[in-house]
Amino acid sequence: MSGPSDYQPSHPAVKWLEQRLPIISLVHSSFVAYPTPRNLNYWWTFGAILSIMLGVQIVTGIILAMHYTPHADLAFRSVELIVRDVNYGWLLRNMHAAGASMFFFAVYIHMFRGLYYGSYKAPREVLWILGVIIYLLMMATGFMGYVLPWGQMSFWGATVITNLFSAVPYFGESIVTLLWGGYSVGNPTLNRFFSLHYLLPFLIAGVVVLHVWALHVVGQNNPAGVEPKTEKDMVPFTPYATIKDFFGVSCFLILYSWFIFYMPNYLGDADNYIPANPGVTPAHIVPEWYYLPFYAILRSIPNKLAGVIAMFSAIIVLVFLPWLDSAKTRSNKYRPLAKQFFWIFVITCILLGYLGAQPPEGIYVIAGRILTIVYFAYFLIVLPLLARIEKPRPLPNSIADDVLAKTGRATAPMVSTLIALFVASTLFVGGTGQARAAENQETPPSLSWSFAGPFGTYDRGALQRGLKVYKEVCSNCHSLSYVAFRNLSEPGGPGYSPAQAAAFAADYKIKDGPNDAGDMFERPGRVADYFPSPFPNEQAARAANGGAAPPDLSLIAKARSYERGFPWFIFDFFTQFQEQGPNYVAALMQGFESTPPAGVTIPEGSYYNKYFPGHAIKMPPPLSDGQVTFDDGSPATVQQYARDVATFLMWTAEPHMEARKRLGYQVFVFLIIFAGLMYFTKKRVWAAAH
Amino acid sequence: MTASTVDHPTRRDFLFVATGAVAAVGGVATLWPFISQMNPDASTIAAGAPIEVDLSPVAEGQDIKVFWRGKPIYISHRTKKQVEEVRSVPLSNLPDPATDQSRTKDGHEQWLVVIGICTHLGCIPIAHEGNYDGFFCPCHGSQYDASGRIRQGPAPLNLPVPPYQFVSDTKIQIG
């Protein structure tokens, strides 16, 4: 790679190695002595952030693969067992799941930065195209990774995305069958997606090496967009860029940790906590937020093949960007018109993302079509035209001049763009939640929960009472198959002693066997056993309950949600509100009305419930006052039962929540101290350069 | 380096050292979950709880194999002859000296409970084989007596006795 190769080893062992494999001087010239423009701003730290994120995804992914089972019948459960049983499994899974979102968040900033400062222009075309290839690989990897937990969104996302290829004329169906390895998405599909999901990150890493290589050949672009002329324009990569990058990384880690420790499900979809069911499609299929703009483009074209072509073109057009935009001036800083169109384009992308999460109907479709046209017009009309008609402002003579001109000026504009972009992306991300369409749905009232917020803990009394309600009422129809009796005595749970948990388990009859004679037999439960299911199989559950199988309750508090609406989902990010599940459960328990409102007819065998989607629920009102008596003197009312059982089900869905929030607090204290130290270190190091 | 850093070399050094130290502490702490996840998970630990074994169907001279924590456990109902034999061997003849009394429970000397994993390289010895009326490991020819003690071959140690106790005359709890 380029840069002055002035590395002179002094240690004899290093000299010996250098004569045989000059790897240390390669690293030295690439990452130590490598000259970097001295006017780079913080948008340039996203390259380092992306490298770190790739590393985090690969490491956490390899670990998750040690515990994951890629089988259609076992995948969902194995992911739950990682979260529940593996040491720090919840942390590793959250890191990986939130990490994917953070990776895309960083790559979008990285791409928009390249777009704004003209980093794709000669001589950096190959560098840019390699970046587009990385982005495509990332999209494929992210998609296949999302399939692996084998929840409802995994399954139906896989179905929808693979069906894109059925648009291919003549060969479409054969291609899709080939992708599936069957006649529908199934176990072979899951297996190959797992294999490819493991492979692709290493391909990404390989292309990243090429990307960095190309970067080191042509040198970094910079905010002024003028090529470096003298040594005064440059500073060595280490310590200047390294320390700045690490400061950027430490700030990014704070955002990342916010999701890992406090909002692990904010970016996900509640439906993915329902195991894959090939017979039922979720009401609204929504991809992960990072695909939404392209999904909106796909849906805005009324023709299947044309829609698929438009969607792929929206990405492929980036490859031709270096030739579409032929303006000589690189940086939009000096292009008054291009700068405005750039921001229009950014807003277009965000709005497209928002539309991608909306139901494809009415105004959303029309808006989607207009924005699709704007998206392509930016690349195909605006940029080529601007190159011919725009008169750029005068460029600085050199990078050093640019730095001198800037000295003394506050960096406030940068901070404000950062905030603007952050709010915009929150809006965009929050848009995913919008898709839970509310068909005249009453929103469950927000209750105050002891487990809400950054320091939330479960109310032990409520957990114990909720367990009692589950045992005496819910367990007659609902299983709780991810919860073991031993969990009752684990820290962060209902707070029973191991002996109490063992006694509780012994009350249950567990089917075991076969014994030496080959017969199944019943024995008293042990702590290692899981709560037994009330029905032997789904068909039996269905038959006994008027055709609707009562769902397993282990994850119900995370698998049920409701629309928060604008602007609440933005505030939710900051207030860490994520109690939709327990709010819904508590509301549902109390939402039965014996006479439906006028004009609503409820089919025979169903009951009217204010909060149930569609209002007709097969479950009869399960709770009545005085049904369960509490030892601690809590009132024996439906309201109390509902609250307690919702608390209990929140715990069964998130048994390590207390550990998560506690560790999150420690990590935040650490990261804030570390970022502060990095800031002053960075200032001290750069003091020498100014 | 500019004048300011030369003026306050110690303060600069302190800042750099502090930042480096905090980064190192964070890095090491981050490593812990990545290593700890390799240990047995909670369900594996729970599944390794003690088990009870009913001895009543095991006749004299017979033995059974049960599994505890994924390990085969041999439970032998030894004959009087076997017990006398293993108790009369002088300890000086043994590569890994241990009395049979120390390897069985008082009052239940007919029962031998050992982990059936050869102490050489982990193969499973065959019961009632070999020159000592005990166990014979087919992998590399180690021979154990009816007390599970190594007598001949490459294995260095006796077959280990798992933690167990008699809950009644005909029932033991392993673990």
Side-chain angles (χ1 to χ4, degrees), chain A residues 75-116:
Chain A
F76 188 86
R77 193 173 181 90
S78 77
V79 171
E80 268 313 304
L81 295 187
I82 290 173
V83 172
R84 284 155 194 273
D85 289 341
V86 173
N87 298 335
Y88 295 101
W90 58 267
L91 173 64
L92 295 161
R93 201 240 169 154
N94 289 355
M95 281 176 82
H96 198 69
S101 281
M102 290 291 104
F103 201 173
F104 275 98
F105 176 66
V107 93
Y108 283 132
I109 291 183
H110 194 64
M111 289 164 77
F112 279 124
R113 190 269 290 156
L115 209 55
Y116 184 84

Side-chain angles (χ1 to χ4, degrees), chain A residues 623-639:
Chain A
L623 297 166
S624 53
D625 287 348
Q627 191 176 6
V628 180
T629 44
F630 294 132
D631 307 328
D632 62 0
S634 298
T637 59
V638 170
Q639 194 192 6

Side-chain angles (χ1 to χ4, degrees), chain A residues 59-60 63 66-67 85-88 91-92 95 486 528 530 670 674 677-678 680-681 684-685 687-688, chain B residues 1-2 5 11-12 15-16 18-19 22-23 26 32-34 36-43 46-47:
Chain A
V59 170
T60 54
I63 288 174
M66 293 180 189
H67 303 283
D85 289 341
V86 173
N87 298 335
Y88 295 101
L91 173 64
L92 295 161
M95 281 176 82
R486 63 187 153 85
Y530 289 81
F670 171 83
F674 181 59
L677 281 170
M678 282 306 302
F680 289 112
T681 304
R684 187 60 62 89
V685 167
Chain B
M1 289 291 136
T2 58
T5 53
R11 195 189 294 171
R12 185 202 64 175
L15 180 62
F16 290 174
T19 309
V22 171
W32 177 241
F34 291 81
S36 171
Q37 54 83 23
M38 302 267 274
N39 266 320
D41 69 22
S43 65

Side-chain angles (χ1 to χ4, degrees), chain A residues 332-353:
Chain A
N332 274 353
K333 260 170 89 175
Y334 305 103
R335 299 180 62 190
L337 283 175
K339 187 196 249 174
Q340 290 173 34
F341 280 106
F342 169 81
W343 287 111
I344 291 173
F345 176 70
V346 172
I347 292 164
T348 302
C349 291
I350 292 171
L351 289 178
L352 273 172

Side-chain angles (χ1 to χ4, degrees), chain A residues 70-297:
Chain A
H71 187 282
D73 295 338
L74 306 169
F76 188 86
R77 193 173 181 90
S78 77
V79 171
E80 268 313 304
L81 295 187
I82 290 173
V83 172
R84 284 155 194 273
D85 289 341
V86 173
N87 298 335
Y88 295 101
W90 58 267
L91 173 64
L92 295 161
R93 201 240 169 154
N94 289 355
M95 281 176 82
H96 198 69
S101 281
M102 290 291 104
F103 201 173
F104 275 98
F105 176 66
V107 93
Y108 283 132
I109 291 183
H110 194 64
M111 289 164 77
F112 279 124
R113 190 269 290 156
L115 209 55
Y116 184 84
Y117 292 111
S119 299
Y120 47 85
K121 293 188 184 187
R124 298 185 180 84
E125 301 95 324
V126 172
L127 174 62
W128 173 262
I129 291 168
L130 286 168
V132 176
I133 293 171
I134 294 172
Y135 175 54
L136 280 169
L137 286 171
M138 277 176 67
M139 291 183 104
T141 312
F143 158 64
M144 290 191 216
Y146 192 58
V147 173
L148 301 184
W150 212 240
Q152 272 291 67
M153 276 295 165
S154 300
F155 183 90
W156 291 102
T159 303
V160 169
I161 301 295
T162 48
N163 265 316
L164 291 178
F165 294 93
S166 70
V168 176
Y170 306 115
F171 309 108
E173 288 303 319
S174 321
I175 293 173
V176 173
T177 308
L178 182 84
L179 290 176
W180 287 342
Y183 304 111
S184 61
V185 173
N187 193 49
T189 324
L190 177 60
N191 263 295
R192 63 193 58 185
F193 276 22
F194 176 60
S195 169
L196 293 174
H197 183 69
Y198 208 117
L199 166 73
L200 289 186
F202 296 98
L203 289 187
I204 292 176
V207 185
V208 165
V209 169
L210 296 181
H211 191 66
V212 173
W213 185 11
L215 175 76
H216 283 228
V217 170
V218 295
Q220 282 166 292
N221 185 28
N222 62 80
V226 293
E227 289 294 318
K229 293 183 180 110
T230 63
E231 266 187 32
K232 273 202 318 202
D233 291 342
M234 312 299 272
V235 288
F237 192 84
T238 302
Y240 295 97
T242 354
I243 211 80
K244 196 168 181 171
D245 282 348
F246 272 109
F247 174 57
V249 167
S250 64
C251 293
F252 191 79
L253 287 179
I254 292 178
L255 175 68
Y256 184 18
S257 300
W258 189 262
F259 286 109
I260 295 174
F261 294 104
Y262 296 122
M263 306 292 284
N265 297 311
Y266 184 72
L267 297 167
D269 198 301
D271 274 322
N272 224 26
Y273 281 109
I274 304 170
N277 181 352
V280 181
T281 306
H284 293 281
I285 295 278
V286 185
E288 289 288 81
W289 67 268
Y290 33 85
Y291 304 124
L292 286 174
F294 304 105
Y295 193 59
I297 290 174

